[in-house]
Amino acid sequence: MTEEEAFRVVGLLRRAEVRGVVVSGGEPTLLPYLADLLAELSRPLPSGLPGPRVVLSTNGLAPLRTMERILPQLSWIALPLESADAEQHRLMRTGVAPHRARVLRLLEEVRTRHDRVQVKLGTVVTRLNLSGAPDVLDLIEDAWLPHVWKVYQMSETNYGADNRDWLSVGDQQFEDVVARCEKAAANRGIRLEVYRNSKRSGSYLFIDPDGQAVVIDDGQERRIGHLFQEPDMVAAGLRGAIDHTRNAGNFSGTYPDPTAEGAS
């Protein structure tokens, strides 16, 4: 996405007074303009309301000097950690060694030097990490623990459907892992959120780098039109495809407002 197009998207979201945005990818920290984009997105709205809660979903590989410019603009950062078993993690994060060590280093940095930024740790359950996924918290010292741990049932994108047969796990397999994760989270006092494929539809609205709006419908990604070139088509496509209550609950459950009463 070009810088101009990205700032157009931010302007639209701010005019609509969207309350929460996840900046994801690909890998967004590769964008040279990311810090400026996040600063614009997160500033107070013209109406006087606070800007949206901004989440950066990153693989955790950006140099710390890069993250120092980005972190002050964030409400949350989302980091991946796939298994307590080093080989299982390597199989799921190929080509980016030593990925796990660098994620843990960034987690330590955020928790010790940027306490305003909340941390969500994400673990995607596949056939490769069934045994090691529930133990990822064992890798983390108490002082560095995330605020939320979210465990995802593997769901392939339209671009990754060829991975379904050798990576996906059935509902019962997934629930067995979830039960172990629940015990691990309770033992460490961590809030656990669970992503089940059965709840996927109606929960997500994406804006792709080419400007296309994408929703999850019947478990599949569906493009509903170009955000700026086909606004009427996008508006029509959103009706019935997005459950606003589920969409808001999905965001707030994963990234709760730390200033709200009762938030952890």
Side-chain angles (χ1 to χ4, degrees):
M1 186 178 289
T2 66
E3 182 173 355
E4 179 183 4
E5 190 87 336
F7 273 86
R8 287 185 71 194
V9 173
V10 163
L12 184 149
L13 297 176
R14 287 177 54 79
R15 288 193 298 274
E17 296 193 342
V18 168
R19 305 308 307 137
V21 179
V22 180
V23 180
S24 186
E27 177 48 48
T29 60
L30 295 174
L31 298 175
Y33 59 81
L34 181 63
D36 294 335
L37 186 78
L38 297 176
E40 172 66 14
L41 178 58
S42 61
R43 67 185 178 88
L45 299 173
S47 65
L49 290 173
R53 294 206 296 282
V54 177
V55 182
L56 177 68
S57 178
T58 172
N59 62 20
L61 292 174
L64 290 180
R65 64 181 180 274
T66 299
M67 294 306 300
E68 286 295 329
R69 293 189 62 230
I70 292 170
L71 286 165
Q73 320 304 331
L74 300 177
S75 299
W76 284 80
I77 187 170
L79 297 170
L81 200 57
E82 311 297 4
S83 179
D85 181 277
E87 179 62 14
Q88 291 178 12
H89 186 93
R90 187 191 66 79
L91 289 172
M92 289 185 62
R93 293 279 168 177
T94 59
V96 289
H99 178 265
R100 196 174 70 168
R102 291 180 67 172
V103 168
L104 290 170
R105 176 68 185 91
L106 179 55
L107 176 62
E108 177 189 0
E109 176 78 7
V110 175
R111 295 293 280 123
T112 56
R113 297 188 57 194
H114 298 272
D115 57 2
R116 176 184 160 276
V117 180
Q118 308 284 290
V119 178
K120 184 214 79 173
L121 192 69
T123 302
V124 180
V125 177
T126 74
R127 292 187 187 182
L128 299 178
N129 64 337
L130 285 170
S131 62
D135 299 325
V136 296
L137 296 182
D138 293 347
L139 301 171
I140 305 171
E141 295 187 17
D142 286 344
W144 309 343
L145 285 169
H147 300 85
V148 171
W149 180 26
K150 190 162 186 176
V151 177
Y152 297 80
Q153 185 177 9
M154 183 266 179
S155 57
E156 76 286 345
T157 67
N158 290 350
Y159 309 107
D162 54 339
N163 294 318
R164 180 192 300 114
D165 291 341
W166 70 282
L167 282 181
S168 63
V169 296
D171 292 346
Q172 188 54 58
Q173 280 182 305
F174 180 66
E175 293 303 330
D176 291 344
V177 173
V178 167
R180 292 180 58 200
C181 292
E182 288 173 338
K183 292 180 181 178
N187 287 340
R188 301 295 294 277
I190 297 301
R191 175 174 179 159
L192 181 73
E193 291 288 322
V194 180
Y195 169 102
R196 295 175 171 87
N197 287 340
S198 60
K199 300 293 186 182
R200 194 172 180 222
S201 293
S203 298
Y204 292 91
L205 167 63
F206 301 98
I207 302 170
D208 269 1
D210 60 3
Q212 288 283 327
V214 181
V215 296
I216 306 297
D217 201 10
D218 292 329
Q220 299 296 314
E221 296 178 5
R222 179 167 65 88
R223 292 184 164 212
I224 60 175
H226 192 282
L227 193 64
F228 300 112
Q229 298 172 9
E230 303 164 311
D232 293 340
M233 186 182 298
V234 171
L238 287 176
R239 286 192 289 270
I242 291 291
D243 180 326
H244 295 288
T245 301
R246 179 180 288 183
N247 177 250
N250 179 44
F251 183 90
S252 296
T254 306
Y255 309 108
D257 184 352
T259 65
E261 185 176 352
S264 58

